[in-house]
Amino acid sequence: LGRAYARGIEFSIQKKLAEKLYGLVSFSYFRTRYRDLMGQWRNRTFDNRFILCISGGYKPNKKWEFNGRFIWSGNRAFTPVDVEQSIRVGYPWVPTENIYSDYLPDYQSLSVRVDRRWFFRKSNLVAYIGALNLLDRENIIAKYWVPGANQYETESTWGIFPYVGIEFEF
């Protein structure tokens, strides 16, 4: 029978909101692996190995809030093809020793947001503006071999993604 495991450790430190500042830094290191039916230990798909998250904010008063978040992590495991053999035969050639043996490039993202609050008797209104992936980094989420083109293609997250919104809280 197949077997699997997930092991890791996490460290975090938090500064709760007091004196206008708050923040959180966390770091996780982990491994997730499985043993296939042939007895070979392999990485699991989401064996990212590590995640670092730094987030925090500043509230100068009750009306305004400024916050941000930076994430850096290893990326998921993927199965590389034998490029020369794949070109030769016209379809993805995957030696069994290559199953989940490589990793996509690390993931990094920086996001920011600014909130403005208006207070009413029993409710409040929040308007906000922000942006995701301010680093404009091409974070690859999938990599696969395209037989007709005889090359790898990738799927990535979006570049900088601005947003605005309104929340009504009651």
Side-chain angles (χ1 to χ4, degrees), residues 151-166:
Q151 65 184 20
Y152 275 114
E153 288 197 9
T154 60
E155 291 182 28
S156 302
T157 57
W158 292 354
I160 297 173
F161 186 80
Y163 62 90
V164 297
I166 296 175

Side-chain angles (χ1 to χ4, degrees), residues 6 28 31 42 58-59 83 97 112 122 131 136 149:
S28 301
R31 291 302 312 260
R42 301 185 187 281
Y58 174 65
K59 288 183 81 166
V83 174
E97 65 269 11
V112 297
K122 293 185 178 183
D136 198 21

Side-chain angles (χ1 to χ4, degrees), residues 43-50 72-81 98 100-108 137-145 152-157:
N43 301 319
R44 298 206 50 165
T45 304
F46 293 101
D47 180 41
N48 298 62
R49 302 169 322 278
F50 70 92
W72 174 34
S73 74
N75 211 329
R76 39 190 280 185
F78 87 103
T79 302
V81 301
N98 284 7
Y100 291 132
S101 65
D102 205 353
Y103 290 91
L104 298 173
D106 290 355
Y107 174 96
Q108 293 179 28
R137 182 176 163 92
E138 181 182 0
N139 288 306
I140 297 173
I141 57 173
K143 183 175 181 178
Y144 50 91
W145 185 260
Y152 275 114
E153 288 197 9
T154 60
E155 291 182 28
S156 302
T157 57

